[in-house]
Amino acid sequence: MQQLKMLKLMGEVKPYPIHEDYYIRNIRILESGEEDPAEIDAWVDVCRFQLIGENATKESYTNAITNTPLLVPATDVFFVCEKATDRPVATLTAHIRDTGEGWIHMVGSLAEVRGKKLGHAMLARGLERLAEAGVEKVRLVTDDWRRPAIKNYLTAGFKPVFFEDPSEDAKPVDERWTVILDEMGWEDRTFLTYDGEIWTK
């Protein structure tokens, strides 16, 4: 069963205030032009919790970030950090693909900061970066079980995308979304096609 797809047709991006104990910055780059190894370790620590699992390593960073075409870590990889310690506690990547469309991925946070709305502020900053670059469409994929993240995306203006899932165990995508939106009490049932048109049954 394929991951769920979401699409935002870029308009005005509303900034979201961040908790007073935290701030947002990009991953730090050494004078050599390489990412700081300590920063990569921090990224792995955040992603180990929810995105990748206990087997997350520096190779996970290489696969998800370094090897992604056109992705520039210095502008595209974001951290939410504690002001007191500068310790990264959440991360998000917002980059531009060769199609000219934006892409949000590798979004996660440590369990200890859940409930502080850091994801909302981090997503808003990533979308601002893409809007400044002139991006008109932003895409992402997510999992059915990631309810807090999905609510964050919906709140930021992303819409569910309808697509045909050929997987043998696949349920119809609109039925999967109906379950999620019902559980959230989310009233807007607007679906988009991959091209951004309104989808109807």
Side-chain angles (χ1 to χ4, degrees), residues 121-152:
M122 187 170 59
L123 178 58
R125 181 64 194 93
L127 290 173
E128 285 174 0
R129 175 266 184 278
L130 296 173
E132 290 163 1
V135 167
E136 296 182 356
K137 293 179 181 178
V138 184
R139 300 185 186 277
L140 62 83
V141 296
T142 189
D143 298 297
D144 300 53
W145 56 269
R146 296 196 69 191
R147 297 295 204 271
I150 290 172
K151 190 168 186 178
N152 184 5

Side-chain angles (χ1 to χ4, degrees), residues 10 34 36 48 54-55 61 82 84 87 107 109 111 130 141 147 159 165 190 195:
M10 189 67 81
E34 300 295 321
D36 185 334
R48 180 177 288 124
E54 291 301 318
N55 295 325
Y61 179 89
E82 294 175 332
R87 179 175 69 110
V107 183
S109 63
L130 296 173
V141 296
R147 297 295 204 271
K159 302 293 185 186
D165 187 346
T190 303
D195 294 328

Side-chain angles (χ1 to χ4, degrees), residues 26-183:
N26 287 108
I27 194 169
R28 290 180 177 139
I29 306 300
L30 300 174
E31 290 184 7
S32 64
E34 300 295 321
E35 294 97 316
D36 185 334
E39 296 278 276
I40 296 176
D41 288 341
W43 184 92
V44 171
D45 286 342
V46 172
C47 293
R48 180 177 288 124
F49 169 67
Q50 187 180 49
L51 292 175
I52 300 174
E54 291 301 318
N55 295 325
T57 64
K58 290 184 178 180
E59 185 176 354
S60 304
Y61 179 89
T62 300
N63 292 336
I65 305 298
T66 308
N67 290 346
T68 298
L70 303 182
L71 195 160
V72 181
T75 57
D76 301 347
V77 179
F78 294 88
F79 279 141
V80 173
C81 300
E82 294 175 332
K83 285 184 178 178
T85 65
D86 194 42
R87 179 175 69 110
V89 296
T91 188
L92 172 145
T93 298
H95 71 101
I96 303 171
R97 291 183 149 185
D98 57 3
T99 60
E101 297 176 334
W103 186 257
I104 299 290
H105 76 145
M106 301 312 294
V107 183
S109 63
L110 298 177
E112 67 195 70
V113 299
R114 294 297 168 84
K116 296 184 178 181
K117 305 292 186 181
L118 300 181
H120 290 274
M122 187 170 59
L123 178 58
R125 181 64 194 93
L127 290 173
E128 285 174 0
R129 175 266 184 278
L130 296 173
E132 290 163 1
V135 167
E136 296 182 356
K137 293 179 181 178
V138 184
R139 300 185 186 277
L140 62 83
V141 296
T142 189
D143 298 297
D144 300 53
W145 56 269
R146 296 196 69 191
R147 297 295 204 271
I150 290 172
K151 190 168 186 178
N152 184 5
Y153 301 143
L154 290 168
T155 301
F158 282 86
K159 302 293 185 186
V161 171
F162 179 81
F163 63 97
E164 296 289 347
D165 187 346
S167 308
E168 289 184 12
D169 60 344
K171 295 180 181 178
V173 169
D174 56 323
E175 290 183 15
R176 291 165 63 188
W177 273 111
T178 295
V179 170
I180 294 168
L181 298 175
D182 283 348
E183 289 182 4

